[in-house]
Amino acid sequence: MSEIKKFWQNYINGEWVDAIDGGRIEIENPATGQIIAEVAQARQSDVDTAVSAARACFETRELYNMRPTNRGALMFEIARHMTEMADEIALAECLDNGKTLAGGKNEALAAARYFTYYGGLADKLEGRMIPLGADYVDYTIPTPFGVSAQIVPWNFPLQIAARSVACALATANTVVLKSPELSPVSTYFIAEACHRAGVPKGAVNILCGYGHECGAALVSHPDIDHIVFTGSVATGQSILRAAAERVIPCVMELGGKSAGVLFKDADVDQAINSTASGIFSHAGQVCSAQSRLIVPKSLQAEVVEKMAAKAKSLSIGPGIDGHDLTPVISAAQADKIEGMCLAASQAGAEAVSGGRKHNELPGHFIEPTVFANVAPNMTIAREEVFGPVLSILTYDDPEEALALANGTDYGLCAGVYTKDLATAHWAADQLVAGQVFVNEWFAGGIETPFGGMKRSGYGREKGQEALLNYVQTKNVGIRITAGGGGRPGG
């Protein structure tokens, strides 16, 4: 099978439905530039319907009153259906997102794993008893917020949607999720899996629309209680302004300009391979990409030569053919990346590999790019490119290296390449980042908390810690004998 369904509806209140006004959005294959499908285009009225369904489901307390172990079993059933559809999901991820078929299959299995992981935690989120002495019983209850609005980005829509939907269901919140208009198809498989598993109607609603219409309507909706967003800093700021109007709690996973610091004792070849994975996977369209490599001046020539050779060895082409470097998501994104590369060259950086669009193929491809002679004040060293573009910077002493790594507005990830355990611990402690990788970029997994510091956002996704972002603590204090008045506490 080399095609996907031609039209995808929104999933609202347990039913597949067209947009109320009949609007549709065309979906492009980034590897060819051809239109491959259409999806229903949600606007304000569709958002209203979805939020109303989510609110009604939450108010029934069906998820909340369910025995947590049964809620977990329901999530295991979602995972089973996701796994059964893995090959279909892989094709969708390949055709509307540009991933390889293997990468798409990994996305499907990772999404299923989120539901089993958090399904297994559904009956382990506990309150506590607080001793107040004789005559009192006091305890806490982790309670859901209510209706969770979730907006996922176009680079890993399925996996990012799965991690937030799974957390919401495990904690008995209901969900309205906006899929990305550039690559929404894989998220509909979550809706299908929920439908097949028998998730209560209205508990999970998935729709697609443009950010300025559907997204803005969702985050400013008066019946939303909680917001989860992954995307750019600028969009995150806009959402936070809307959230501030109603004092809505948010989980924000924003941009990154993550650096790997290579120390003199490191295995250079291993660091080159790890860096290549960190920056060229999914054409660099990864929030946690290793977009900077900071090296000792004494190793600069060797690292630049080997990094350029590694980049030039990568095959470029459609993911469906299994190439190393797949397309970026759109023509606009390709233009933006190339523009930043040209500006970097004009500023004095040297493109030792790539630096331009790959125009020999249809679709939207960027050459794997490595810049040397990058100064820390250059835009290419400070701002997120979101493409297959690596900047190599140099340092004289370790303190300078960490200052360079910490010298941007972002703090999502950081990396350390060294054979010395003491150096690894020292650097990991000094780096300002929500996640630090040592000798392997992307080390970790679904079990490890993920999120940013500084302008890379706040709150954590993944791991047990993520569940705490989906509940609020309710305290219950009981006087169990007659008499006496309570003491006000705020």
Side-chain angles (χ1 to χ4, degrees):
M1 181 174 62
S2 60
E3 293 185 349
I4 57 176
K5 191 168 70 173
K6 297 301 183 184
F7 176 57
W8 302 75
Q9 297 171 297
N10 291 320
Y11 185 74
I12 298 175
N13 201 29
E15 297 180 355
W16 293 100
V17 295
D18 289 343
I20 290 174
D21 68 359
R24 296 186 177 194
I25 298 173
E26 292 182 332
I27 305 302
E28 177 191 69
N29 181 343
T32 65
Q34 297 177 340
I35 302 301
I36 55 171
E38 292 180 316
V39 300
Q41 180 181 352
R43 292 190 169 93
Q44 177 77 59
S45 54
D46 305 278
V47 170
D48 290 342
T49 303
V51 173
S52 177
R55 171 59 60 196
C57 181
F58 182 75
E59 295 297 339
T60 68
R61 298 172 69 92
E62 185 173 357
L63 282 173
Y64 186 75
N65 289 340
M66 190 181 295
R67 195 175 182 93
T69 187
N70 294 336
R71 201 158 61 235
L74 181 64
M75 295 174 66
F76 293 154
E77 190 68 3
I78 296 171
R80 182 177 71 82
H81 288 293
M82 291 289 293
T83 302
E84 288 177 353
M85 295 185 288
D87 288 334
E88 295 176 72
I89 294 170
L91 183 63
E93 284 279 279
C94 179
L95 295 182
D96 90 330
N97 195 271
K99 292 183 176 68
T100 63
L101 284 171
K105 183 95 175 254
N106 288 339
E107 290 294 295
L109 298 178
R113 170 81 171 113
Y114 277 112
F115 285 100
T116 58
Y117 180 79
Y118 288 111
L121 288 172
D123 59 356
K124 298 173 184 66
L125 188 63
E126 301 172 344
R128 61 192 179 98
M129 189 279 291
I130 301 172
L132 292 179
D135 302 327
Y136 291 95
V137 172
D138 192 283
Y139 58 92
T140 65
I141 305 171
T143 61
F145 285 101
V147 179
S148 177
Q150 302 180 355
I151 298 179
V152 300
W154 47 257
N155 58 337
F156 291 92
L158 178 68
Q159 208 179 143
I160 292 173
R163 75 188 187 194
S164 53
V165 170
C167 279
L169 289 180
T171 50
N173 293 277
T174 58
V175 175
V176 180
L177 183 140
K178 189 196 94 66
S179 59
E181 64 272 14
L182 289 173
S183 58
V185 173
S186 62
T187 63
Y188 294 116
F189 287 92
I190 294 178
E192 181 62 27
C194 289
H195 191 80
R196 295 182 186 182
V199 170
K201 289 185 176 182
V204 176
N205 306 272
I206 296 180
L207 37 74
C208 184
Y210 292 107
H212 67 280
E213 289 181 331
C214 181
L218 181 57
V219 298
S220 63
H221 199 285
D223 222 10
I224 287 295
D225 304 301
H226 178 252
I227 297 173
V228 183
F229 173 73
T230 299
S232 71
V233 172
T235 304
Q237 289 170 325
S238 177
I239 290 171
L240 286 169
R241 293 185 192 103
E245 290 296 316
R246 295 188 53 251
V247 197
I248 300 299
C250 299
V251 180
M252 289 277 140
E253 197 261 280
L254 306 177
K257 190 65 181 177
S258 303
V261 179
L262 188 147
F263 289 94
K264 289 182 179 181
D265 69 315
D267 182 331
V268 171
D269 291 334
Q270 187 273 335
I272 294 295
N273 289 330
S274 179
T275 298
S277 175
I279 188 57
F280 298 133
S281 295
H282 195 33
Q285 300 170 121
V286 185
C287 296
S288 53
Q290 185 191 325
S291 56
R292 294 182 293 153
L293 179 60
I294 300 172
V295 305
K297 286 183 179 177
S298 61
L299 294 176
Q300 179 182 11
E302 179 186 0
V303 170
V304 168
E305 180 184 356
K306 289 183 173 180
M307 200 70 239
K310 181 68 176 180
K312 291 173 183 176
S313 74
L314 302 177
S315 66
I316 305 173
I320 200 164
D321 295 329
H323 286 283
D324 299 320
L325 197 81
T326 51
V328 297
I329 194 67
S330 66
Q333 187 68 11
D335 288 342
K336 175 200 165 190
I337 295 167
E338 185 179 53
M340 292 187 75
C341 289
L342 293 173
S345 295
Q346 291 174 352
E350 178 188 0
V352 295
S353 173
R356 301 297 297 268
K357 289 189 280 190
H358 188 81
N359 292 318
E360 296 176 12
L361 295 168
H364 317 305
F365 293 89
I366 296 287
E367 296 171 339
T369 300
V370 177
F371 277 107
N373 299 329
V374 176
N377 62 345
M378 291 181 181
T379 300
I380 201 72
R382 301 185 64 81
E383 297 299 327
E384 188 172 39
V385 179
F386 223 64
V389 180
L390 175 72
S391 295
I392 298 178
L393 296 89
T394 61
Y395 68 89
D396 288 311
D397 59 70
E399 288 77 12
E400 181 190 3
L402 298 193
L404 289 171
N406 291 335
T408 73
D409 287 337
Y410 300 101
L412 190 54
C413 296
V416 178
Y417 297 106
T418 179
K419 296 176 184 176
D420 183 73
L421 190 59
T423 299
H425 278 291
W426 170 76
D429 180 61
Q430 296 290 321
L431 288 164
V432 182
Q435 194 164 25
V436 178
F437 308 122
V438 178
N439 292 332
E440 181 190 329
W441 203 266
F442 300 133
I446 287 168
E447 305 87 350
T448 54
F450 174 73
M453 297 181 178
K454 297 193 286 187
R455 293 182 69 202
S456 288
Y458 55 84
R460 291 296 179 265
E461 300 279 16
K462 302 167 61 174
Q464 297 182 42
E465 192 171 334
L467 288 179
L468 301 178
N469 293 290
Y470 291 77
V471 293
Q472 50 195 332
T473 298
K474 177 186 290 186
N475 178 256
V476 179
I478 305 173
R479 182 179 177 97
I480 57 176
T481 59
R487 293 184 293 274

